Amino acid sequence: EETSPRGGAPEQWQMFAAGAGQWEYQGFEAWTAEEQEMWRDGLLRCKWGVGQVSIRLPVRSCTALVALVYGYLPFVIPLWWLLWVAISGAVRGTPRFFPAFGLCVAAGFALVNETVTKQICKRALPKSVTDRPPEAVCKHPGMPSGHVMNAYTLMVWSLLEVAFDRIVHPEWLVLIVLIMAPVPWARVYNKDHTVAQVAASACIATAMGCVAFYIRKKYYPDHDHPWEWYAATEGVANPYAPTFE
């Protein structure tokens, strides 16, 4: 039985530090035994880590492709908001409030996650909890998941904004859930995080999303929302819309 790679096996290359998973071509020696066997059978050609998302080529199923797409949505949404802020600022003279506040939420809580939450988890939790699955290209501690933290903070904040507005648009609730809710599943399916890591991250992010909603309602009330401009229905009046005075 062949135990060593034949000629042409992938060799390690990275733009940044090895194991960072930011822009990295993982070498054959770092693969699991199962992945190495898949390579010998011609089922797995190479592994990339881009933005701490593991990309295995060839992509073997539609489900795997969907998981990859959801892995990048936590980046795509803030980039979309950044573009929205730039265009609205150029056209109107001032940027739209909703994407501008959303960017502040994403950046602010990402900073808290990286400088506080991850450091606490790294020091307080055992490696068995913080280590990512062995198949992940990124080898940095995976507790909590930054992708899930970002996605669920923004999702919970957005859901609360829609659900507690004066007029509720159900189609926006469905849209937000469809876009953001599957991110934890995607991170586990793609073997970039464990179930425990994404579950804990979703719980922390839920609290962060509630804080973001409170800050917006308390200190920046009476701003317009995208569902007021783009709505498939007239919406339903909400007699329980809260105010924080």
Side-chain angles (χ1 to χ4, degrees), residues 194-208:
T194 65
V195 172
Q197 288 166 2
V198 300
S201 302
C203 291
I204 297 170
T206 297
M208 289 183 170

Side-chain angles (χ1 to χ4, degrees), residues 23-83:
W23 191 264
E24 180 175 351
Y25 186 79
Q26 193 177 54
F28 187 84
E29 294 75 12
W31 294 14
T32 65
E34 181 181 358
E35 290 173 330
Q36 292 178 349
E37 191 61 35
M38 291 174 65
W39 181 82
R40 296 185 181 100
D41 294 338
L43 300 176
L44 180 60
R45 187 169 70 248
C46 62
K47 290 176 63 180
W48 283 87
V50 181
Q52 296 190 347
V53 176
S54 299
I55 303 174
R56 300 167 183 84
L57 298 177
V59 178
R60 299 184 61 196
S61 68
C62 291
T63 305
L65 179 60
V66 170
L68 283 176
V69 171
Y70 272 109
Y72 286 107
L73 278 177
F75 300 120
V76 172
I77 299 301
L79 287 175
W80 169 44
W81 285 347
L82 180 62
L83 181 63

Side-chain angles (χ1 to χ4, degrees), residues 183-226:
V183 171
W185 161 81
R187 299 300 284 160
V188 173
Y189 184 89
N190 205 44
K191 299 180 180 179
D192 283 316
H193 284 285
T194 65
V195 172
Q197 288 166 2
V198 300
S201 302
C203 291
I204 297 170
T206 297
M208 289 183 170
C210 293
V211 170
F213 175 69
Y214 175 81
I215 292 172
R216 209 284 300 167
K217 292 288 286 187
K218 175 70 174 179
Y219 299 103
Y220 306 99
D222 302 323
H223 285 279
D224 52 2
H225 300 91

